Amino acid sequence: MNTAQHWQTHEISNQFDEKQDYNLFETDTVLKEILARCGSQDQVKLSAMGQAAGSKEYYEYAELANQHTPILHVFDARGRRRDFIEFHPAWHKWMGLNRQFDSHAYPFNHAKSPAKWVDWAARFYLAGQVECGNLCPNSMTLGSIPLIQREPELWAKIGDKLLSTEYDERDVPIAQKKSIWLGMGMTEKQGGSDVRANETLAIPVAESGRGKAYLLTGHKWFFSAPMCDAHLVVAKTGQDGLACFFVPRWLEDGSKNTIQIQRLKDKVGNRSNSSSEVEFKEAWGIMIGEAGRGIPTIIEMANYTRLTCSVGSSAMLRQALVQCIAYTRQRKAFGKHLAEQPLMQAVLVDLALESEAATQLSFHLAQCYAQDDALSVAWKRMMTPASKFWICKRAVELSGESMEVFGGNGYVDNGIMARIFKEAPVNTIWEGSGNVMCLDVLRAIARDPESIEVLFKDLASTALEDDTLKQELQSLFTLFQQSPDDLQFMGRSLVSRLTILAQAVLLKRYAPEFVAAAFIQTRYSAFHGRVVGMIAAQQVDVERLLERALASD
């Protein structure tokens, strides 16, 4: 008797791997519609990026980069301080791919393109569906560029290296590198989101003020991506208050700056990326921006990185949706495919509506970043933190629902579903927690009351066509007239409702009627939001919604 046959207990059937080897761009109807509407001329390159990022090879690189996390080497074999972070080669593959396709600087390398920000968002969105950790240095580098551009002497030295699309992984002084990354250092132990509580002290080497050299002493509790070539750091300057500093890891004489990495954070997700605690021991830096304007300077950078959080969470929602649809179309239970089961269809349709709404809002905001008219400014100022709050929160909840679609297979920690589940919370926390985002929306309204009127007038131009949206708009406008304390107490409710209304308006404007109608009917149902899939069959066109989300093979 054949021993192998004798001990074979069963045949493996009705088991299906997570979807790989497909073009992330070409299979995304919503994304292609948005780009066409915004006048993108870059779809050939985006298709190439979608093909690469969706390949089996890059899915495997993503898994490897998250399994083999960064290793900190504080000292060399003879006790000399190194502060070197070792990454798995798979990390460098993803960093190289994003650099090649200009995910870190596209709007600034294509400044004359009217679609420059949506073309950038498409890159971030495609990469973020598969490997999110490497987007952190891409995001911070993107946000730092407009700040550095306003410092002529510094920009002359490093501008071409920031914009370069050639990846250079070497840990050497900036002058020797072909391209560089910039990170951020704001948070300290005692303050957290309250940057005004920072205690790191910057003392001028000689003259004080913008463009002058300082020595920084203190710490950062969260120092994002310490392998970056330089960081923008907030520190106090004594009489001049808080300021922002450009602090390189290497000095021009070839020695390491005195930024000492204490340890790498052992994070829930975002495992491929390094986050750290550091101490500055008279670390050399240059003041950028005006003295006393450190927080506004770094917040300008954060406005870009908050947009990246919304786009990145939209990417996670998209990937989770694709994986769920692909899996349920193959997996059978109780005599037919899961995707044919009405109860599963309710879940899938709800996920599809949430994904499209998040994508439409994120890309609309990206398009606003290309313009400076009053309406675009109002959308950026209020809806960037609002969308960062809502979309990132939804990604946390819906990634858990998506895992459940896979049953026990979804809970196994060697697939993309578990990785998305653990990755999603970082965007709710990084660049300001949910409460901070809600306060930012309320602060914007208080400082510029006209902006909320401009935004509401724009929303009304569409909302008045629908009785449900009209009623919600009027209710919200009234609620926003409350006292500051009452507004803050209701902050989460108001910002959530504002974001859902904005999503509904954008779908009404730009999506097919069957999508907009389904979103409005389900999102303003008495039961929506308690659990995914609590919708009535009469409210949705299941077949068209799921085919739009992912065309059948």
Side-chain angles (χ1 to χ4, degrees), residues 248-497:
R249 291 185 60 240
W250 289 83
L251 300 177
E252 291 184 356
D253 64 5
S255 64
K256 274 279 183 78
N257 205 355
T258 49
I259 307 166
Q260 296 187 350
I261 302 175
Q262 304 304 300
R263 64 170 176 169
L264 299 184
K265 298 288 193 180
D266 189 10
K267 297 169 293 183
V268 172
N270 204 247
R271 304 284 292 175
S272 65
N273 179 44
S274 62
S275 303
S276 67
E277 301 164 22
V278 301
E279 288 186 346
F280 304 127
K281 298 185 176 179
E282 295 191 336
W284 185 90
I286 299 171
M287 183 186 289
I288 66 170
E290 299 294 339
R293 299 284 296 170
I295 294 177
T297 300
I298 205 74
I299 286 299
E300 181 181 343
M301 180 180 181
N303 285 336
Y304 291 100
T305 52
R306 287 172 179 177
L307 174 63
T308 69
C309 288
S310 294
V311 177
S313 289
S314 298
M316 292 185 218
L317 288 170
R318 171 63 187 172
Q319 180 65 194
L321 171 65
V322 168
Q323 294 296 344
C324 287
I325 294 176
Y327 183 74
T328 57
R329 283 175 176 168
Q330 300 174 88
R331 175 83 168 177
K332 287 186 176 180
F334 310 112
K336 57 183 178 180
H337 290 111
L338 287 173
E340 298 169 350
Q341 309 274 4
L343 192 53
M344 179 61 76
Q345 289 176 338
V347 172
L348 296 175
V349 162
D350 216 353
L351 294 174
L353 290 170
E354 194 77 39
S355 174
E356 176 158 356
T359 303
Q360 293 281 7
L361 177 55
S362 293
F363 277 79
H364 181 77
L365 280 173
Q367 181 67 357
C368 288
Y369 273 68
Q371 303 167 63
D372 290 318
D373 59 280
L375 179 57
S376 296
V377 170
W379 272 90
K380 286 186 289 186
R381 184 64 189 91
M382 281 179 289
M383 294 310 302
T384 298
S387 67
K388 197 265 192 194
F389 168 76
W390 181 249
I391 294 173
C392 298
K393 289 284 187 191
R394 297 300 287 162
V396 173
E397 179 179 349
L398 271 63
S399 61
E401 287 282 355
S402 300
M403 285 178 70
E404 189 176 329
V405 170
F406 283 74
N409 289 338
Y411 200 63
V412 175
D413 203 12
N414 60 354
I416 195 168
M417 301 307 297
R419 192 162 71 245
I420 291 174
F421 178 73
K422 292 191 293 183
E423 190 76 37
V426 71
N427 283 339
T428 69
I429 299 169
W430 192 56
E431 299 300 13
S433 64
N435 283 354
V436 172
M437 293 302 98
C438 292
L439 289 172
D440 201 25
V441 174
L442 299 181
R443 191 177 299 114
I445 294 170
R447 289 179 177 174
D448 185 12
E450 292 183 3
S451 62
I452 190 70
E453 294 182 12
V454 171
L455 178 63
F456 268 77
K457 184 177 179 180
D458 183 50
L459 295 175
S461 66
T462 299
L464 294 180
E465 301 171 6
D466 183 277
D467 289 341
T468 300
L469 299 185
K470 177 182 178 181
Q471 181 178 349
E472 176 67 356
L473 180 75
Q474 292 171 340
S475 175
L476 273 177
F477 192 78
T478 300
L479 288 171
F480 273 113
Q481 311 307 312
Q482 298 178 94
S483 69
D485 284 348
D486 288 341
L487 273 175
Q488 186 175 143
F489 193 85
M490 292 187 65
R492 286 189 169 220
S493 173
L494 292 173
V495 171
S496 298
R497 289 173 63 180

